[in-house]
Amino acid sequence: MVRQENQDRFLLLREGVYYYWRRVPRTVVHLEDRAPVIRLSLKTDDLAKARAQRDILEEADNILWASMLTEGGKTEAAMAAYKVARARAEALGFAYRPALDIAQLPLEDLYRRFSAVADKRTPTAVATAIMGGVDRPKVLVSEAFKIYCDEIAAVEIVGKSEEQKKAWRKVKQYAVDAFTKVVGEDLAMDDITRDHAKKMHDHFKALIAPTDKKADKKSASLGKRRLGDMSILYKRYYAHIGVEGRPNPFEGLTFNQKFKKRRLPFPIEWVRDVILKPGALAGLNEEARHIVLVSIETGARPIELRYLREDRIKLNDKVPHILVEPSFDPDEPHEVKTVSSVRRIPLVGVALEVMKRHKDGFPRYRDSGNTLSATVNSFLKENNLQPTGKETLYSFRHTFEDRLKEGRIDDELRKILMGHTIDREQYGSGGSLKLYHEELMKIVYPFDPSIV
């Protein structure tokens, strides 16, 4: 009898056959039916195969024991038990199927399963898993959403800042809340039907095209996004728990938007003659005022300016500029909107003077995007600085693009400076900072130093 350690942990070689051999942790020994020691024949003499089967069983038991120690309630424990049953079946080469589905399997598959169950070396718990004896628990939409956020999408959002994670989750939550409100209850995922999905679709259709002409219309993109988020939740949840081929009730239910709502830019002359007039922004706190001024001359998104740090503010380079790029610092991670958003923007005019005073960016608003927007937008409104009453902080970015067009800046360079996608295969570096600087100097606003 030989027992290996390290990479061969929990493997026991006995009479030429590998076993999964593991002692139940003390913390759960009183809750575990298999205590004190788990012994399971892996029915193989191939070490590589035994290791692969061990990995599946090890992870399954870790999940089960963790659920025993949490206060997640019956649903969490039932889900853990279901995952463990799947893992046990898969470790011995069987795809997990509910008992009703197993009855419909081909005779050859049924024979294999019955043979494994009849083997005296197969523990009762494993035999139960092979024959689909553990029911999939009914998980509510709200519970599935928590699983989606905490487990399924965890890797995808790891690079976001805490602020970005909250915003991401908040938007996804809107879809769940809307669905629950429309159907009248927090349904179990298994109970969602096409009729429920259509009811949600009809709800948004009434908001997008209300019969009451005086009603406030919602955009088609809103309905498209909410239904899309529910469709993604449904699809990825069932893939996560190993259920394949389940029809998605939200499939194909969407809305087409002919015209995308566009933010209004400030007129070019308005920024020059009104916004940059001495005293116009004096009532704003310094960081908010300075973010506005840098936005005017860089076209950067507010979030891109908020996340600037010292290492991305290049004041001492031959061409002073800022770098817009993601942060992989585990203590302060953040993402950029798209790959094309990663770019260098020369600092010209008032933007250069402002950044000389903020060599480490704008800490007051680094994690407070909503506060920044509310502060600036309220100030613009209260001081009659919006020509139509609809312009916002983000509008300065659109004005910047208008200025690039009016200045006859090359279309591709405009996309580079704005962080937009270039719709062709790219060659070279896209041009030098010196070139970017020369082009921006053609459209730079004159300014009174007192506004800084």
Side-chain angles (χ1 to χ4, degrees), residues 405-418:
K405 292 175 183 176
E406 291 289 331
R408 301 184 184 279
I409 307 299
D410 174 75
D411 177 66
E412 195 162 294
L413 180 53
R414 293 206 309 266
K415 290 181 178 179
I416 291 172
L417 291 170
M418 293 294 295

Side-chain angles (χ1 to χ4, degrees), residues 348-387:
V348 299
V350 70
L352 176 57
E353 294 307 310
V354 165
M355 292 313 302
K356 288 178 181 178
R357 302 190 182 195
H358 295 275
K359 296 180 180 180
D360 191 36
F362 306 95
R364 177 170 180 168
Y365 292 109
R366 189 158 289 143
D367 300 309
S368 306
N370 291 337
T371 302
L372 172 65
S373 296
T375 299
V376 173
N377 295 339
S378 295
F379 181 85
L380 294 173
K381 182 177 182 179
E382 292 167 4
N383 291 274
N384 299 315
L385 296 176
Q386 303 160 296

Side-chain angles (χ1 to χ4, degrees), residues 86-124:
R86 277 178 47 211
R88 287 170 178 163
E90 291 167 3
L92 296 185
F94 297 97
Y96 184 82
R97 296 283 185 274
L100 290 176
D101 292 351
I102 287 177
Q104 308 301 318
L105 291 174
L107 288 176
E108 182 180 351
D109 196 339
L110 279 173
Y111 178 77
R112 284 184 61 242
R113 290 176 186 261
F114 278 119
S115 296
V117 170
D119 191 326
K120 293 181 179 179
R121 294 173 298 176
T122 303
T124 302

Side-chain angles (χ1 to χ4, degrees), residues 4-20:
Q4 288 86 13
E5 298 292 341
N6 302 322
Q7 63 175 331
D8 296 328
R9 64 194 177 282
F10 310 136
L11 287 179
L12 178 73
L13 183 61
R14 184 175 184 179
E15 297 179 358
V17 177
Y18 282 99
Y19 283 73
Y20 174 62

Side-chain angles (χ1 to χ4, degrees), residues 308-331:
L308 284 177
R309 294 301 298 265
E310 184 176 6
D311 60 333
R312 293 187 281 279
I313 301 170
K314 307 295 184 179
L315 294 173
N316 297 322
D317 282 25
K318 191 170 183 180
V319 177
H321 63 282
I322 56 174
L323 288 174
V324 175
E325 59 185 9
S327 168
F328 301 105
D329 183 339
D331 295 325

